Amino acid sequence: MKVIVAKTAGFCFGVKRAVDQVYRQIEEGKKPIYTYGPIIHNEEVVRELAEKGVRIVETEEELRKLKEGTVIIRSHGVPERIYRLIEAQGLEMIDATCPFVKKIHRIVQSHSAEGREIVIIGNDGHPEVEGIKGWCSTPVTVIGEEAEAEAFLREPHPAICVVSQTTFNYKKFDKLVEIISKMRYDKLDILNTICSATEERQSEARQIAGQVDSMIVIGGSHSSNTRKLFEICKKECANTYHIQTLKDLDIRRLPSRGCVGITAGASTPNNLIEEVSKQCQI
Ligand code: SF4
């Protein structure tokens, strides 16, 4: 079987930077080490870090109980109040927020300060979106579906600033912005803050899925960018399978001849991609 592995599969710059930061703290012998939320949406990596003593703080309440240690902020970023809380607790903070996400925090903070409402094109409840909300001082609306964009038009909004979750689907962003733009605003700024790593990963996945007999998308079950990759590939190739690790791969479902494509979400380590690729070639 021929195997095509996407060049853009696996860790993006921001995720690699965050994971490297955690390993650096371990090497430096820091104890205890906490990450605010799992450092990435990959259960294998999180388990490996747990074995090395890295603990996960899930909520602000848990954070409030910490008396010592190092807290690492993951690439998704966090609301501004979490920085204040870590400082107030006297904990060491390592900020591994991806610089592209940090840029969105600065954009919404400054536009909010001018009195504009903020629209985030993204999935409500996603940690990155929750983080962005936490830098806004004016009303925020999260729009992820066309019906939500239509509903937004029912109320007047004099001045708005539109940004996007970095991992949002590019075409869907255009569609939602087209709907929002039907309204007249005194001030309207639309900033496409989708990360180019996401865009490149999605378009390469679409292109490979369109030419193979089967497509495998590797990534964590909670990874939104993996789910989006799966949606994109499934549209192009009906035989698209989402797996988290090699254990989930049912090789019998793949054609014995022909071509299989492989891509992976931003939280998927390279060794996992290589294992799956090798297994497909056996
Ligand atoms: S997808 Fe882009 S914005 Fe998100 S962590 Fe990776 S490099 Fe940063």
Side-chain angles (χ1 to χ4, degrees):
M1 199 188 325
K2 190 180 165 202
V3 177
I4 303 175
V5 180
K7 291 189 189 72
T8 50
F11 280 5
C12 61
F13 150 79
V15 166
K16 183 174 184 310
R17 183 173 167 273
V19 173
D20 286 350
Q21 291 267 29
V22 182
Y23 281 102
R24 197 167 308 138
Q25 305 313 308
I26 296 169
E27 276 164 30
E28 287 177 11
K30 300 259 181 79
K31 272 183 192 165
I33 300 171
Y34 302 94
T35 59
Y36 192 71
I39 191 74
I40 55 171
H41 285 144
N42 185 284
E43 284 144 37
E44 296 288 303
V45 174
V46 169
R47 197 174 306 129
E48 190 184 310
L49 290 172
E51 282 164 13
K52 294 181 189 299
V54 177
R55 293 178 234 168
I56 300 171
V57 178
E58 297 279 7
T59 62
E60 286 181 55
E61 287 67 39
E62 284 177 40
L63 191 53
R64 264 179 239 283
K65 288 180 192 149
L66 300 186
K67 299 281 176 264
E68 55 170 5
T70 302
V71 180
I72 302 167
I73 295 174
R74 57 188 175 173
S75 57
H76 289 129
V78 292
E80 190 180 12
R81 66 177 184 279
I82 301 296
Y83 286 75
R84 305 291 154 255
L85 184 53
I86 294 171
E87 280 165 16
Q89 297 288 109
L91 304 163
E92 185 188 5
M93 178 171 58
I94 304 291
D95 187 1
T97 306
C98 177
F100 301 133
V101 176
K102 204 78 216 134
K103 187 176 157 197
I104 305 177
H105 293 173
R106 286 195 294 270
I107 291 171
V108 297
Q109 191 180 31
S110 65
H111 281 78
S112 262
E114 287 173 13
R116 301 212 195 181
E117 282 183 49
I118 305 296
V119 174
I120 306 170
I121 303 287
N123 301 117
D124 209 3
H126 185 280
E128 183 190 312
V129 172
E130 294 308 302
I132 297 169
K133 280 185 192 172
W135 291 86
C136 303
S137 50
T138 44
V140 183
T141 307
V142 180
I143 295 177
E145 299 298 335
E146 290 183 27
E148 291 163 352
E150 297 287 358
F152 182 77
L153 301 181
R154 289 187 206 123
E155 299 286 333
H157 303 279
I160 66 166
C161 165
V162 182
V163 293
S164 171
Q165 184 182 333
T166 56
T167 48
F168 205 72
N169 182 299
Y170 200 69
K171 285 195 171 156
K172 209 164 166 184
F173 173 84
D174 279 347
K175 182 69 205 165
L176 296 175
V177 163
E178 190 187 310
I179 297 172
I180 295 167
S181 304
K182 285 185 203 160
M183 186 184 252
R184 279 186 166 271
Y185 304 92
D186 296 339
K187 285 180 185 164
L188 168 66
D189 272 339
I190 298 168
L191 296 134
N192 179 343
T193 48
I194 297 175
C195 168
S196 62
T198 308
E199 214 181 304
E200 284 159 18
R201 188 191 309 270
Q202 290 176 352
S203 67
E204 191 188 18
R206 187 179 294 112
Q207 184 256 323
I208 294 176
Q211 67 179 72
V212 295
D213 303 293
S214 283
M215 189 76 192
I216 299 168
V217 180
I218 315 169
S221 55
H222 300 295
S223 158
S224 117
N225 77 87
T226 302
R227 281 202 300 271
K228 276 171 204 151
L229 276 179
F230 176 77
E231 274 173 31
I232 289 168
C233 294
K234 188 81 180 169
K235 271 192 193 155
E236 302 294 325
C237 173
N239 301 322
T240 295
Y241 305 103
H242 172 207
I243 62 169
Q244 292 197 69
T245 68
L246 186 59
K247 285 198 278 291
D248 306 327
L249 180 65
D250 184 354
I251 208 85
R252 289 167 303 180
R253 299 178 78 176
L254 303 179
S256 53
R257 284 160 180 263
C259 190
V260 59
I262 299 174
T263 187
S267 306
T268 307
N270 272 341
N271 61 332
L272 202 54
I273 301 168
E274 279 162 24
E275 277 173 18
V276 173
S277 166
K278 275 190 196 141
Q279 187 64 32
C280 292
Q281 291 171 55
I282 290 172

